[in-house]
Amino acid sequence: DKGIVALVCFVLAITTYTSFQYDNVNNSLTYEDSDTRRLLQEMILADGSKQLKELLHMLDEFSPEELKELAEAIEVHRLMKDLDESEYLNRFHRHRIVFKDLYTECVFREDEPPQNGECYKMLAPEVKSKKAWFFFGDSQMGKYFNALDYPYIITSKKETDDLRCGFLDYVHLPRSEEWVYPQYNQGPAKFGRKNHFCSDVASAGNRRFESDSTEGSNFMELLTVDFASDVEQQTRYTNTTQETATLHVANQLQLRGLTYEDSVCVVNVGLHDQKLCESKSDSHCLVIYVTNVKVYLNLLYNVCGSIIWLSTTPVRDTHNPNYPQRNDRMEIMNEKIREVLAKFDNGYFVDVWERALGNTFVDNAHFTQDFYDNVAGLFSSLM
């Protein structure tokens, strides 16, 4: 099981450390045997990272010999703040399981060229030219998807006949005999609740573009998933839309003789999840969201070689009673997703919040086309 392997690697990594010194002449780390725990405590406190501070209480449980790699990972993180990234990229990459959150997040900037920016450099070593690209989300993700400049000649395409209610026909899965209403912590909240097997979101709709060649099939696909957990698309085999989408991805990979290692999943939910916050405290709402995201990501982990989470974007009218979205809440939601992704050895967080704030709104949640073109350019260059 990949999840167990990742957990074991994490535990082993945080139990390997000894004291060290940095050799400025040879650009390398050397290790000594003296007073290891005191040095590591000083490193953690000086770094200020919440995640590292959580390790303090564990130090007395391990021998100096067992903690060698942890010390190296922390020191490399410290050096990366001040020195050129390329010098330490290979060394740092070896510790991706230990402190993924220290290097698997990037900020997407307005002036960053698609093939030379911070996000491209982070993602390219892992996802460049993968055969299968899946995009999961609401209308916001649909706009990113529509702006993609697919680098292959499209030989076939498929689109749902009904944007709101055609999901199950598109994926060729049978509806459940009885549509079970959502629990308090699940969507749908509006249209989909009254119109069974339909989505709350009105303007996304599943679609796929494919390129066949002698080297096999390359394709990209959009799947409408507008909550972290919802029962919009129930089937005889699945209870939630998230389970249904995961099953469809597995079927598509198997159909083409591919595995999860060939797939990249670009994901976001958050705007519609705030419909579930009505009559709940912000803290309760956040607990529901984070819990649902964890379950969702664990499903995707089985079929996605890499999971790229696009941050939820701000809204224009953050205090309008006609809309459930609140920017202060969404900033916290984005922070929580960072913490969740740190537990996945194949997760990446692309922060588009500030880039979106600098753009012009066309309604409460959407932006002018240049914003979507800019973000889509990153993924087009990676395909």
Short mmCIF file of all heavy atoms in Angstrom, two decimals, residues 156-178:
data_model
loop_
_atom_site.label_atom_id
_atom_site.label_comp_id
_atom_site.label_asym_id
_atom_site.label_seq_id
_atom_site.Cartn_x
_atom_site.Cartn_y
_atom_site.Cartn_z
N SER A 156 -9.61 12.68 -31.03
CA SER A 156 -10.98 12.37 -30.60
C SER A 156 -11.32 13.21 -29.38
O SER A 156 -10.45 13.62 -28.62
CB SER A 156 -11.14 10.88 -30.26
OG SER A 156 -10.31 10.52 -29.17
N LYS A 157 -12.59 13.47 -29.20
CA LYS A 157 -13.04 14.21 -28.04
C LYS A 157 -14.42 13.72 -27.61
O LYS A 157 -15.18 13.18 -28.43
CB LYS A 157 -13.07 15.71 -28.30
CG LYS A 157 -14.01 16.17 -29.39
CD LYS A 157 -13.91 17.69 -29.56
CE LYS A 157 -14.85 18.18 -30.65
NZ LYS A 157 -14.76 19.67 -30.81
N LYS A 158 -14.71 13.93 -26.36
CA LYS A 158 -15.99 13.51 -25.81
C LYS A 158 -16.46 14.57 -24.83
O LYS A 158 -15.67 15.08 -24.03
CB LYS A 158 -15.86 12.15 -25.11
CG LYS A 158 -17.16 11.65 -24.49
CD LYS A 158 -16.97 10.31 -23.81
CE LYS A 158 -18.27 9.83 -23.18
NZ LYS A 158 -18.11 8.51 -22.51
N GLU A 159 -17.74 14.90 -24.88
CA GLU A 159 -18.31 15.88 -23.96
C GLU A 159 -19.65 15.38 -23.47
O GLU A 159 -20.36 14.67 -24.18
CB GLU A 159 -18.47 17.24 -24.65
CG GLU A 159 -17.17 17.86 -25.13
CD GLU A 159 -17.39 19.23 -25.76
OE1 GLU A 159 -17.60 20.19 -25.03
OE2 GLU A 159 -17.34 19.30 -27.00
N THR A 160 -20.00 15.77 -22.25
CA THR A 160 -21.30 15.39 -21.72
C THR A 160 -22.40 16.15 -22.44
O THR A 160 -22.24 17.31 -22.81
CB THR A 160 -21.37 15.66 -20.21
OG1 THR A 160 -22.63 15.26 -19.71
CG2 THR A 160 -21.17 17.13 -19.90
N ASP A 161 -23.51 15.48 -22.68
CA ASP A 161 -24.63 16.11 -23.36
C ASP A 161 -25.37 17.10 -22.46
O ASP A 161 -25.98 18.05 -22.94
CB ASP A 161 -25.62 15.04 -23.86
CG ASP A 161 -25.02 14.16 -24.94
OD1 ASP A 161 -24.18 14.68 -25.71
OD2 ASP A 161 -25.37 12.97 -25.01
N ASP A 162 -25.32 16.87 -21.17
CA ASP A 162 -26.02 17.72 -20.20
C ASP A 162 -25.01 18.17 -19.16
O ASP A 162 -24.52 17.37 -18.38
CB ASP A 162 -27.16 16.92 -19.56
CG ASP A 162 -28.05 17.77 -18.66
OD1 ASP A 162 -27.55 18.74 -18.06
OD2 ASP A 162 -29.25 17.45 -18.55
N LEU A 163 -24.67 19.46 -19.15
CA LEU A 163 -23.62 19.96 -18.27
C LEU A 163 -23.90 19.65 -16.81
O LEU A 163 -22.98 19.33 -16.05
CB LEU A 163 -23.45 21.47 -18.45
CG LEU A 163 -22.91 21.96 -19.79
CD1 LEU A 163 -22.78 23.48 -19.79
CD2 LEU A 163 -21.56 21.32 -20.10
N ARG A 164 -25.15 19.74 -16.41
CA ARG A 164 -25.47 19.61 -15.00
C ARG A 164 -25.86 18.19 -14.60
O ARG A 164 -25.59 17.77 -13.47
CB ARG A 164 -26.62 20.56 -14.66
CG ARG A 164 -26.28 21.47 -13.50
CD ARG A 164 -27.32 22.52 -13.27
NE ARG A 164 -26.91 23.34 -12.13
CZ ARG A 164 -27.51 24.45 -11.76
NH1 ARG A 164 -28.55 24.89 -12.44
NH2 ARG A 164 -27.08 25.13 -10.71
N CYS A 165 -26.51 17.47 -15.50
CA CYS A 165 -27.09 16.19 -15.11
C CYS A 165 -26.60 15.01 -15.95
O CYS A 165 -27.20 13.92 -15.91
CB CYS A 165 -28.62 16.27 -15.19
SG CYS A 165 -29.34 17.63 -14.23
N GLY A 166 -25.52 15.19 -16.70
CA GLY A 166 -25.06 14.13 -17.58
C GLY A 166 -23.82 13.40 -17.13
O GLY A 166 -23.22 12.66 -17.91
N PHE A 167 -23.40 13.59 -15.88
CA PHE A 167 -22.15 13.01 -15.39
C PHE A 167 -22.13 11.49 -15.55
O PHE A 167 -21.18 10.92 -16.12
CB PHE A 167 -21.96 13.39 -13.92
CG PHE A 167 -20.61 13.05 -13.34
CD1 PHE A 167 -19.72 14.05 -13.02
CD2 PHE A 167 -20.23 11.73 -13.09
CE1 PHE A 167 -18.47 13.75 -12.49
CE2 PHE A 167 -19.00 11.42 -12.55
CZ PHE A 167 -18.11 12.44 -12.25
N LEU A 168 -23.15 10.81 -15.06
CA LEU A 168 -23.13 9.35 -15.04
C LEU A 168 -23.26 8.75 -16.44
O LEU A 168 -22.68 7.70 -16.73
CB LEU A 168 -24.22 8.82 -14.11
CG LEU A 168 -24.00 9.14 -12.62
CD1 LEU A 168 -25.11 8.52 -11.78
CD2 LEU A 168 -22.64 8.65 -12.15
N ASP A 169 -24.00 9.41 -17.31
CA ASP A 169 -24.06 8.94 -18.70
C ASP A 169 -22.68 9.07 -19.34
O ASP A 169 -22.26 8.19 -20.11
CB ASP A 169 -25.08 9.77 -19.49
CG ASP A 169 -26.51 9.47 -19.08
OD1 ASP A 169 -26.75 8.36 -18.56
OD2 ASP A 169 -27.38 10.34 -19.28
N TYR A 170 -21.99 10.12 -19.02
CA TYR A 170 -20.65 10.35 -19.58
C TYR A 170 -19.67 9.26 -19.16
O TYR A 170 -18.88 8.77 -19.96
CB TYR A 170 -20.15 11.73 -19.14
CG TYR A 170 -18.72 12.04 -19.52
CD1 TYR A 170 -18.42 12.68 -20.73
CD2 TYR A 170 -17.66 11.69 -18.68
CE1 TYR A 170 -17.12 12.96 -21.08
CE2 TYR A 170 -16.35 11.97 -19.04
CZ TYR A 170 -16.09 12.61 -20.22
OH TYR A 170 -14.78 12.89 -20.57
N VAL A 171 -19.71 8.88 -17.88
CA VAL A 171 -18.73 7.89 -17.38
C VAL A 171 -19.23 6.45 -17.53
O VAL A 171 -18.53 5.51 -17.15
CB VAL A 171 -18.38 8.17 -15.89
CG1 VAL A 171 -17.74 9.54 -15.75
CG2 VAL A 171 -19.61 8.05 -14.99
N HIS A 172 -20.43 6.28 -18.08
CA HIS A 172 -21.01 4.95 -18.34
C HIS A 172 -21.08 4.11 -17.07
O HIS A 172 -20.69 2.94 -17.04
CB HIS A 172 -20.19 4.20 -19.40
CG HIS A 172 -20.19 4.86 -20.73
ND1 HIS A 172 -21.32 5.05 -21.50
CD2 HIS A 172 -19.17 5.42 -21.44
CE1 HIS A 172 -21.01 5.67 -22.62
NE2 HIS A 172 -19.72 5.92 -22.61
N LEU A 173 -21.61 4.72 -16.02
CA LEU A 173 -21.84 3.99 -14.78
C LEU A 173 -23.32 4.08 -14.42
O LEU A 173 -23.94 5.13 -14.57
CB LEU A 173 -20.98 4.57 -13.65
CG LEU A 173 -19.48 4.31 -13.74
CD1 LEU A 173 -18.72 5.10 -12.68
CD2 LEU A 173 -19.18 2.82 -13.60
N PRO A 174 -23.90 2.97 -13.96
CA PRO A 174 -25.34 2.94 -13.67
C PRO A 174 -25.70 3.71 -12.40
O PRO A 174 -24.99 3.64 -11.39
CB PRO A 174 -25.64 1.45 -13.51
CG PRO A 174 -24.34 0.86 -13.02
CD PRO A 174 -23.26 1.65 -13.70
N ARG A 175 -26.80 4.44 -12.46
CA ARG A 175 -27.27 5.17 -11.28
C ARG A 175 -27.66 4.20 -10.17
O ARG A 175 -28.06 3.06 -10.42
CB ARG A 175 -28.51 6.01 -11.65
CG ARG A 175 -28.24 7.13 -12.63
CD ARG A 175 -29.50 7.92 -12.87
NE ARG A 175 -29.25 9.09 -13.72
CZ ARG A 175 -30.14 10.04 -13.95
NH1 ARG A 175 -31.35 9.96 -13.40
NH2 ARG A 175 -29.83 11.06 -14.72
N SER A 176 -27.54 4.66 -8.96
CA SER A 176 -28.03 3.87 -7.84
C SER A 176 -29.55 3.76 -7.94
O SER A 176 -30.22 4.65 -8.50
CB SER A 176 -27.64 4.51 -6.51
OG SER A 176 -28.20 5.82 -6.41
N GLU A 177 -30.11 2.68 -7.44
CA GLU A 177 -31.55 2.48 -7.55
C GLU A 177 -32.32 3.53 -6.75
O GLU A 177 -33.42 3.92 -7.12
CB GLU A 177 -31.91 1.07 -7.07
CG GLU A 177 -31.33 -0.02 -7.97
CD GLU A 177 -31.73 -1.41 -7.52
OE1 GLU A 177 -32.48 -1.51 -6.53
OE2 GLU A 177 -31.30 -2.39 -8.17
N GLU A 178 -31.71 4.00 -5.66
CA GLU A 178 -32.34 5.05 -4.85
C GLU A 178 -31.31 6.12 -4.53
O GLU A 178 -30.21 5.81 -4.09
CB GLU A 178 -32.90 4.45 -3.55
CG GLU A 178 -33.53 5.47 -2.63
CD GLU A 178 -34.00 4.87 -1.31
OE1 GLU A 178 -33.82 3.65 -1.12
OE2 GLU A 178 -34.51 5.62 -0.47
#
